[in-house]
């Protein structure tokens, strides 16, 4: 009987520990995925969280992405991968571009990505309000 009691206590403790969330970790490291479908909306994240923005590369129309615009006291650009997932042989396939940001400080910023063609044509590819708490 004592063996069953001890075994039950050990299993219960293990279950509680497995469900326990480390309070020091918070939500850091959680990735908020954004795509073209999220344009014009609002995204909320916590300081330390990662934001990944994936957009189709507009190279098939002769456009090139410009540097994303945002408040650098709220977000930090960690990386930019260009032409990810290009399929050779598919005409017009320029793949996708992926930007990775980290929420650096609390506040609100507009994250905007534009693209240009020639010296005068600029189009908006993505705009979103990012709220960092």
């Amino acid at each position: 009987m004592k063996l069953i009691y001890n075994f039950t206590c050990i299993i219960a403790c293990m279950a509680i520990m497995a469900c326990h969330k480390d309070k020091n970790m918070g939500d850091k490291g959680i990735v908020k995925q954004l795509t073209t479908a999220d344009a014009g909306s609002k995204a909320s994240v916590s300081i330390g969280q990662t934001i990944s923005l994936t957009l189709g590369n507009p190279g098939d129309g002769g456009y090139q992405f410009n540097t994303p615009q945002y408040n650098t006291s709220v977000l930090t650009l960690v990386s930019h991968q260009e032409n990810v997932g290009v399929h050779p042989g598919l005409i017009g396939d320029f793949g996708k571009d992926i930007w990775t940001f980290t929420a650096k400080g609390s506040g609100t910023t507009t994250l905007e990505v534009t693209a240009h063609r020639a010296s005068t044509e600029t189009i908006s590819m993505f705009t979103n309000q990012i709220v960092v708490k």
Side-chain angles (χ1 to χ4, degrees):
M1 187 69 149
K2 188 174 182 180
L3 180 62
I4 294 173
Y5 175 76
N6 288 341
F7 182 72
T8 304
C9 287
I10 290 170
I11 297 296
C13 288
M14 289 174 60
I16 290 169
M17 289 174 63
C19 294
H20 177 70
K21 182 178 180 180
D22 186 354
K23 291 183 176 144
N24 293 329
M25 279 294 285
D27 291 329
K28 294 181 189 225
I30 295 176
V31 178
K32 177 77 171 176
Q33 302 282 341
L34 299 175
T35 65
T36 306
D38 299 302
S41 64
K42 184 184 283 189
S44 295
V45 294
S46 298
I47 293 175
Q49 283 187 310
T50 300
I51 300 166
S52 175
L53 172 62
T54 304
L55 299 176
N57 187 296
D60 63 333
Y63 287 91
Q64 295 178 334
F65 281 118
N66 296 318
T67 302
Q69 300 297 307
Y70 54 92
N71 182 336
T72 56
S73 66
V74 177
L75 298 177
T76 298
L77 179 63
V78 176
S79 68
H80 175 208
Q81 297 174 293
E82 299 179 63
N83 304 336
V84 175
V86 173
H87 295 95
L90 293 179
I91 296 173
D93 181 11
F94 283 76
K96 298 179 183 306
D97 279 32
I98 303 170
W99 292 267
T100 304
F101 300 89
T102 298
K104 175 180 175 180
S106 61
T108 301
T109 185
T110 299
L111 174 57
E112 181 175 19
V113 178
T114 58
H116 71 279
R117 178 170 66 181
S119 60
T120 58
E121 282 187 68
T122 301
I123 58 172
S124 178
M125 299 293 294
F126 180 86
T127 302
N128 193 306
Q129 288 288 107
I130 308 291
V131 179
V132 179
K133 299 176 184 175

